[in-house]
Amino acid sequence: MTGRSTILLACALLVLEAGCGARDGERGAAAPDMSNGESGMNTIARSYVLLALALGRHDKDYVDAYFGPPELKEQAERDALTVEAIGGRARALLIELEAMDEPREAMERSRRRNLAGQLRALAARVDLVGGRKMTFDEESHLLYDAVAPTHRTEHFEAILERLDAALPGAGAVADRFAEYRKGFIIPPDRLDRVFQAAIAACRERTSRHIPLPQDESFTVEYVTDKSWSGYNWYQGNFKSLIQVNTDLPIYIDRAVDLACHEGYPGHHLFHTLQDMALVKKRGWIEYTIYPLFAPQSLIAEGSANYGVDLTFPEDERVAFEREVLFPLAGLDPGQAAQYYAIEALRDGLKYAGNEAARGYLDGTIDARRAIEWLKRYSLMTQERAEQRLRFIEQYRSYVINYNLGEDVVRRYVESRSDGDGPAGNRWKVFREVLASPMLPSDLQ
């Protein structure tokens, strides 16, 4: 047989194995064009979008955003593919994609790698939805193209010792930390004015380095009964809806964190730049859909977290908080420096949540022990630890995208900085990360 015939036969077998024949109601993704060029890639990309939309019918959290052609969403609804059919077609598309000749243009090569990563993640998510058991690390590797490091208890205990020395009072570190932070809660009636001031500052600082489309914007809503603290819902055409969860007290540091992470230069900018550079400029339809459980989430969450420090270096942030946000919140500005010194120590515990999730999802600890771990090593209150466990149950290994993602993006950007000025060319490299078809493994 020729190579082409072998590929076609393999694809056919996969489709038949998954029960994806030409039965009524299961003719969703069009047969891809086998030409080794951009048209073939476009056809595979369109089929991928259909499959992602189809999986979204079975998995309510899978499709985070879709702003592509309405007819594709309508087709996915009509076809009503089974989970098994979606998985079979995804694997067949991956075989066809990998059989294509290597594109000449560097961006097209990156596009091909990224599309393959998205298809592999889609197939893995299908397996999870179908009931396949995976370890925490196996799942994160398949979905996010990365595995988080493991930290032993001794790592976190050493950080708790430093916090013990820094916190006022006596007793358990977690109790003293919770008591200390009570003095830094934003009163509910001041929350919106504090948050809006933080958004304006993040936008102004970001726009110094990255030109923003004139018509970009987002709206803010305050919501309750969620497992997360903030969420960006991108709606296409440079518009987003940002929701802030007010179930639990919101501390002063969360204003800048959420404004940068969800807005500028975080998720809103990430989606805006990809929409502008990859959808509107290049017509790459696969970027009209954002599947949550996919490699790009590690870059999206990592860049959103790193973007906080990029936008507000430590000294500048303390000054801004002291001069603007603390007064707006009715808090004592004289406490800003100490507060952020303690927060910097606490940042050393950022991987503690991964260990709780790894143990809980791998079955080595139960819910009670996971909550106790989060209380001791993430310094969470009972209520916040319970909320975090709900997040872990809903989003599983997604937790690695915040801490590992931040470290991956930080190393990549800063290793390419030319050191010219306070930020070197970090903003330029950062923008390239946001506006390019990259996989986490491309950054390592």
Side-chain angles (χ1 to χ4, degrees):
M1 292 184 181
T2 65
R4 175 183 168 88
S5 299
T6 303
I7 292 161
L8 287 172
L9 178 58
C11 294
L13 288 172
L14 278 168
V15 169
L16 289 171
E17 228 173 51
C20 308
R23 296 197 304 251
D24 289 344
E26 289 199 0
R27 288 190 291 270
D33 181 352
M34 289 300 293
S35 62
N36 288 321
E38 186 177 355
S39 62
M41 192 109 71
N42 288 342
T43 304
I44 291 174
R46 181 180 183 278
S47 297
Y48 157 73
V49 172
L50 276 169
L51 292 179
L53 289 169
L55 182 55
R57 296 180 62 255
H58 301 278
D59 182 357
K60 66 181 180 64
D61 293 319
Y62 183 73
V63 177
D64 193 71
Y66 177 66
F67 53 96
E71 58 267 25
L72 291 188
K73 192 169 185 179
E74 293 165 5
Q75 183 178 341
E77 291 290 331
R78 286 196 310 271
D79 294 340
L81 291 176
T82 64
V83 171
E84 294 78 10
I86 296 166
R89 293 188 181 196
R91 291 180 173 90
L93 284 175
L94 183 58
I95 290 172
E96 296 181 28
L97 180 64
E98 292 178 338
M100 293 174 61
D101 291 339
E102 186 78 357
R104 292 192 182 93
E105 187 194 1
M107 279 286 281
E108 286 285 347
R109 292 195 295 272
S110 294
R111 179 195 187 188
R112 180 188 175 189
R113 285 198 307 276
N114 191 276
L115 186 51
Q118 299 295 98
L119 283 165
R120 280 191 292 269
L122 190 155
R125 185 66 185 178
V126 164
D127 289 344
L128 282 167
V129 172
R132 177 184 164 187
K133 301 297 182 184
M134 298 183 193
T135 66
F136 180 86
D137 290 341
E138 180 186 10
E139 177 184 317
S140 72
H141 173 67
L142 290 170
L143 295 181
Y144 309 117
D145 190 34
V147 175
T150 299
H151 291 82
R152 297 174 64 85
T153 304
E154 292 81 3
H155 169 80
F156 304 114
E157 289 289 352
I159 296 165
L160 290 184
E161 287 182 14
R162 293 196 287 275
L163 277 163
D164 186 26
L167 286 166
V173 172
D175 294 339
R176 287 157 58 207
F177 182 76
E179 186 63 29
Y180 174 74
R181 292 193 92 204
K182 285 180 182 178
F184 299 92
I185 294 172
I186 304 172
D189 63 339
R190 293 174 178 257
L191 179 60
D192 187 60
R193 76 183 79 167
V194 172
F195 194 46
Q196 293 296 339
I199 291 171
C202 291
R203 187 183 193 280
E204 189 277 325
R205 284 169 169 260
T206 298
S207 65
R208 296 177 196 172
H209 306 279
I210 299 178
L212 303 173
Q214 281 191 340
D215 52 348
E216 66 78 25
S217 66
F218 60 76
T219 56
V220 178
E221 288 183 354
Y222 298 97
V223 298
T224 58
D225 195 27
K226 305 295 180 183
S227 65
W228 36 260
S229 59
Y231 214 110
N232 177 292
W233 305 95
Y234 188 68
Q235 299 174 326
N237 291 318
F238 318 142
K239 300 291 191 292
S240 293
L241 167 66
I242 292 177
Q243 293 182 324
V244 178
N245 185 9
T246 59
D247 279 342
L248 299 175
I250 297 177
Y251 299 93
I252 189 64
D253 57 292
R254 294 299 288 157
V256 165
D257 285 352
L258 285 172
C260 284
H261 183 99
E262 306 296 345
Y264 313 97
H267 295 325
H268 175 67
L269 181 65
F270 175 84
H271 290 301
T272 293
L273 291 181
Q274 293 217 333
D275 189 355
M276 186 165 53
L278 305 180
V279 177
K280 290 181 169 54
K281 182 177 179 180
R282 289 182 172 265
W284 291 354
I285 195 170
E286 67 268 34
Y287 289 94
T288 64
I289 193 164
Y290 184 87
L292 195 65
F293 307 106
Q296 67 201 80
S297 283
L298 187 132
I299 296 176
E301 299 293 0
S303 61
N305 270 359
Y306 173 63
V308 179
D309 290 343
L310 185 64
T311 308
F312 276 99
E314 182 180 357
D315 291 346
E316 295 179 29
R317 175 165 183 174
V318 172
F320 172 72
E321 299 264 4
R322 182 178 59 243
E323 296 164 12
V324 179
L325 296 192
F326 271 61
L328 281 175
L331 305 178
D332 179 5
Q335 298 297 312
Q338 183 190 35
Y339 181 77
Y340 282 101
I342 289 174
E343 283 297 309
L345 286 175
R346 185 201 187 196
D347 190 58
L349 299 170
K350 66 182 182 180
Y351 277 93
N354 286 11
E355 300 307 328
R358 181 183 277 116
Y360 182 65
L361 296 176
D362 286 353
T364 60
I365 61 174
D366 60 14
R368 181 188 62 80
R369 289 178 63 194
I371 288 172
E372 290 304 314
W373 176 279
L374 290 167
K375 288 166 64 178
R376 178 170 180 79
Y377 295 116
S378 291
L379 300 181
M380 293 181 175
T381 62
Q382 178 74 25
E383 295 76 16
R384 201 168 294 276
E386 289 173 355
Q387 182 192 62
R388 192 60 176 173
L389 185 64
R390 292 198 302 274
F391 184 94
I392 292 168
E393 290 173 335
Q394 183 173 358
Y395 297 106
R396 299 179 58 83
S397 64
Y398 192 89
V399 295
I400 76 161
N401 295 328
Y402 300 100
N403 39 52
L404 179 62
E406 178 183 354
D407 288 346
V408 166
V409 172
R410 184 187 301 277
R411 284 193 296 267
Y412 181 86
V413 171
E414 296 186 358
S415 68
R416 285 156 178 78
S417 173
D418 58 17
D420 181 20
N425 67 339
R426 280 181 283 173
W427 277 99
K428 178 177 181 293
V429 179
F430 182 77
R431 185 192 183 284
E432 290 169 357
V433 170
L434 268 59
S436 303
M438 304 182 83
L439 288 171
S441 53
D442 294 331
L443 304 182
Q444 299 188 63

